[in-house]
Amino acid sequence: MAGLVGGLGMAPAANIGVDAAIFEAVHGSAPDLASQGVANPLALMLASALMLASAMMLDHVGRQDLARRMRKAIDLTLNEDKVRTRDLGGTASTEQFAQAIIGRLKRTGG
């Protein structure tokens, strides 16, 4: 799946059990990218083709309204604002990308 959606930076994971669930990035902690501001934070936000890992968690706990807001903010940031990290052909740092998502949520409600 990672190859189809743009790489490991866009592939989250969900481990859902009877009593607990964990949502995380597939790529792990990426220690080689630590403190460089170049990591793609989408794996924590996205699941294949704009399905947020965070949104997966929100869906899991019954907050589909917030999950939809997050998915929309990611979609608009990537496709309208064209803010992307370098692994997606852009120039934004990790923090710049995250701030762009936050800005979208504040401006338009996601």
Side-chain angles (χ1 to χ4, degrees):
M1 179 191 82
L4 295 174
V5 299
L8 283 178
M10 295 182 67
N15 297 290
I16 302 171
V18 175
D19 298 316
I22 298 172
F23 301 86
E24 60 189 339
V26 167
H27 61 63
S29 62
D32 56 319
L33 301 178
S35 301
Q36 295 180 41
V38 297
N40 182 341
L42 287 177
L44 294 176
M45 299 176 194
L46 283 183
S48 70
L50 300 176
M51 182 178 175
L52 306 166
S54 302
M56 288 170 35
M57 178 186 66
L58 290 167
D59 283 332
H60 182 71
V61 298
R63 292 304 309 263
Q64 288 79 17
D65 58 323
L66 296 177
R68 278 190 297 275
R69 283 187 66 205
M70 291 185 73
R71 287 185 186 102
K72 184 176 179 185
I74 293 288
D75 180 33
L76 294 173
T77 300
L78 287 171
N79 296 306
E80 278 190 17
D81 302 338
K82 306 289 187 204
V83 177
R84 298 177 179 146
T85 51
R86 69 181 187 183
D87 61 314
L88 299 177
T91 59
S93 69
T94 304
E95 184 172 347
Q96 289 168 333
F97 183 79
Q99 289 301 319
I101 300 288
I102 292 166
R104 260 300 177 177
L105 285 167
K106 287 180 178 178
R107 284 192 323 271
T108 64

